[in-house]
């Protein structure tokens, strides 16, 4: 499948494709009822819809989980985050999918133990979206407004070009993530860190 000669992708067209996955649309509706601060639906459940569409697959093909970011620095305890996780799980259980919820105000507290790498203290949920390993996958939809947040634009995502995110410059982790995407969507092109 060619990856360079593609029509530009507007934010509206991207959101429309992502909402073709009925789980995404339902999650936006249900999550809005919780009133979580700076809540965003983010990551693979959104961008994989585009790659699946371009590959002739169902928009929800291969979606492992549905990522939800919020930001609450008034209580960064695990217990507070766990209460939110349980509330989201209860309200989405009937959807039959895994919803992974993360308070972006807490990530710096556990990131090093999990990934053996440094991670800064964030000041917003959008800063968490800014830091996915692969730059073009930094996408999110604000649950309260429906606005698309896409800090690096849609060009590379639409063209299937995977580049290391300069805000999370970990080449080994980037390559592992990029290769996992290429295994599922072989037409994606990985720009090695020195090319990025």
């Amino acid at each position: 499948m060619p990856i360079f000669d593609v029509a530009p992708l507007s934010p509206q067209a991207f959101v429309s494709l992502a909402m073709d996955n009925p789980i995404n649309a339902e999650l936006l509706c249900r999550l809005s009822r919780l009133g979580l601060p700076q809540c965003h639906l983010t990551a693979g459940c959104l961008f994989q819809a585009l790659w699946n569409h371009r590959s002739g697959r169902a928009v929800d093909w291969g979606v492992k989980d549905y990522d939800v970011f919020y930001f609450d620095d008034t209580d960064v305890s695990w217990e507070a985050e766990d209460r939110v996780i349980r509330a989201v799980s209860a309200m989405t259980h009937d959807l039959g999918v895994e919803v992974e919820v993360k308070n972006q105000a807490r990530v710096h507290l556990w990131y090093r133990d999990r990934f053996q790498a440094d991670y800064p203290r964030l000041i917003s949920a959008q800063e968490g979206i800014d830091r996915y390993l692969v730059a073009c996958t930094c996408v999110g939809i604000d649950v309260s407004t429906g606005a698309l947040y896409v800090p690096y634009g849609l060009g590379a995502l639409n063209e299937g070009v995977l580049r290391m995110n300069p805000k999370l410059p970990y080449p080994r982790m980037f390559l592992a993530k990029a290769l996992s995407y290429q295994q599922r969507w072989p037409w994606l092109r990985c720009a090695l860190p020195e090319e990025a």
Side-chain angles (χ1 to χ4, degrees):
M1 174 176 291
I3 61 173
F4 297 110
D5 190 21
V6 293
L9 180 68
S10 71
Q12 296 82 4
F14 175 77
V15 171
S16 178
L17 268 174
M19 291 306 106
D20 281 348
N21 179 346
I23 300 294
N24 286 338
E26 189 62 27
L27 284 173
L28 286 179
C29 178
R30 293 186 190 193
L31 289 166
S32 67
R33 297 179 207 145
L34 286 179
L36 295 173
Q38 300 182 34
C39 187
H40 287 72
L41 184 63
T42 184
C45 64
L46 303 178
F47 66 79
Q48 287 177 213
L50 170 63
W51 291 349
N52 285 333
H53 173 76
R54 296 229 11 242
S55 300
R57 295 178 173 144
V59 291
D60 62 346
W61 179 86
V63 175
K64 180 178 69 103
D65 55 31
Y66 292 75
D67 290 297
V68 175
F69 283 5
Y70 70 101
F71 188 88
D72 183 359
D73 59 358
T74 63
D75 186 345
V76 294
S77 68
W78 161 246
E79 292 76 16
E81 185 176 31
D82 189 51
R83 284 192 295 274
V84 173
I85 291 169
R86 289 174 188 272
V88 171
S89 178
M91 77 178 324
T92 61
H93 177 74
D94 64 303
L95 298 177
V97 298
E98 182 178 341
V99 180
E100 190 165 312
V101 181
K102 295 251 184 321
N103 181 2
Q104 295 302 291
R106 294 191 71 251
V107 177
H108 67 283
L109 299 174
W110 53 261
Y111 195 91
R112 171 156 279 290
D113 287 340
R114 183 166 174 194
F115 296 109
Q116 293 73 54
D118 292 327
Y119 198 88
R121 182 184 299 246
L122 304 181
I123 60 168
S124 71
Q126 288 184 343
E127 274 199 322
I129 296 170
D130 291 347
R131 283 172 170 75
Y132 285 119
L133 289 163
V134 179
C136 71
T137 66
C138 297
V139 295
I141 297 178
D142 186 308
V143 167
S144 64
T145 67
L148 177 65
Y149 178 70
V150 56
Y152 299 111
L154 291 169
L157 181 65
N158 190 38
E159 294 171 359
V161 180
L162 310 177
R163 290 188 177 91
M164 185 169 64
N165 187 340
K167 290 191 175 180
L168 204 65
Y170 297 133
R172 181 182 49 78
M173 291 194 297
F174 160 75
L175 287 171
K177 180 64 77 175
L179 288 172
S180 78
Y181 290 148
Q182 284 182 310
Q183 288 171 350
R184 289 172 278 168
W185 298 276
W187 55 272
L188 297 175
R189 183 171 69 89
C190 181
L192 296 176
E194 57 270 12
E195 297 175 38

